[in-house]
Amino acid sequence: MTRGHTELGDITPHNIKQLKLLNQVVFPVTYNDKFYKDVLEVGELAKLAYFNDIVVGAVCCRIDTSDNQRRLYIMTLGCLAPYRRLHIGTVMLKHVLKICEEDANFDNVFLHVQVNNDGAIKFYEKFGFKIVEEKKNYYKRIEPADAYVLQKTFRESGEQKAMVKN
């Protein structure tokens, strides 16, 4: 299964159930109805990944304005196990990074990853993400409950600049 074509498609009311099913299989956490309702509203920030016309992955993001920063939060980015290592995750992440680049008003892009998910951590590090924080007991009902915050910074906020100067 090395040859194939990956493309991203919109998430619509007609295929949202495919996203729900995919997320149930790929992630150890359950997402509520509000998550899926919000995903339908974010346009380019949520995409299904198709490999040879089969839905095998998805990425869902939202804009986060906290800590006086405009940030892009990757809520989910995942791919079915048999389709990993075929650059599908790379296609999805490059889509997200391209949105950040074209918008040019994001301070950073970030996500949470379970502390034991070495594969995901290494994947994001290849794209310039760094572990910036560890959140104890971030996840409910899954082990380990701790998460790392991985972040790729595009520009320093005023607060961060002041810290660097001191």
Side-chain angles (χ1 to χ4, degrees):
M1 216 172 36
T2 53
R3 300 185 116 185
H5 176 69
T6 302
E7 58 186 42
L8 301 180
D10 294 337
I11 296 172
T12 69
H14 300 290
N15 62 21
I16 192 83
K17 284 190 172 126
Q18 286 186 292
L19 175 65
K20 282 184 183 180
L21 195 58
L22 186 88
N23 283 351
Q24 287 169 0
V25 173
V26 173
F27 300 109
V29 291
T30 305
Y31 295 92
N32 60 26
D33 289 340
K34 184 184 182 323
F35 172 91
Y36 294 103
K37 185 179 165 290
D38 292 348
V39 161
L40 288 171
E41 315 275 312
V42 296
E44 289 296 303
L45 297 180
K47 291 288 186 184
L48 288 173
Y50 295 85
F51 185 80
N52 293 342
D53 298 327
I54 301 165
V55 174
V56 298
V59 57
C60 300
C61 306
R62 67 176 154 77
I63 295 171
D64 175 81
T65 48
S66 60
D67 306 327
N68 292 325
Q69 295 182 56
R70 185 167 181 264
R71 315 164 77 194
L72 192 69
Y73 178 59
I74 300 174
M75 299 183 291
T76 63
L77 188 154
C79 182
L80 294 172
Y83 294 89
R84 292 187 188 144
R85 303 207 142 320
L86 297 173
H87 303 288
I88 297 161
T90 297
V91 169
M92 292 188 285
L93 187 56
K94 282 184 174 177
H95 172 77
V96 170
L97 295 175
K98 185 170 179 257
I99 287 170
C100 294
E101 191 181 301
E102 288 174 355
D103 180 293
N105 285 316
F106 287 106
D107 295 295
N108 59 60
V109 57
F110 73 108
L111 68 150
H112 293 88
V113 175
Q114 249 181 316
V115 293
N116 67 338
N117 192 342
D118 294 332
I121 294 164
K122 283 183 176 69
F123 170 76
Y124 288 105
E125 285 176 340
K126 280 194 304 198
F127 291 91
F129 284 74
K130 291 181 172 50
I131 295 171
V132 295
E133 188 182 352
E134 184 174 346
K135 295 226 174 179
K136 296 288 183 192
N137 299 310
Y138 177 77
Y139 295 106
K140 313 285 182 260
R141 297 182 289 278
I142 62 169
E143 284 298 322
D146 302 343
Y148 287 130
V149 176
L150 276 81
Q151 179 176 294
K152 180 179 175 84
T153 302
F154 303 117
R155 60 175 180 220
E156 301 292 323
S157 68
E159 210 173 280
Q160 288 168 315
K161 281 181 193 159
M163 285 170 44
V164 171
K165 286 179 184 168
N166 293 339

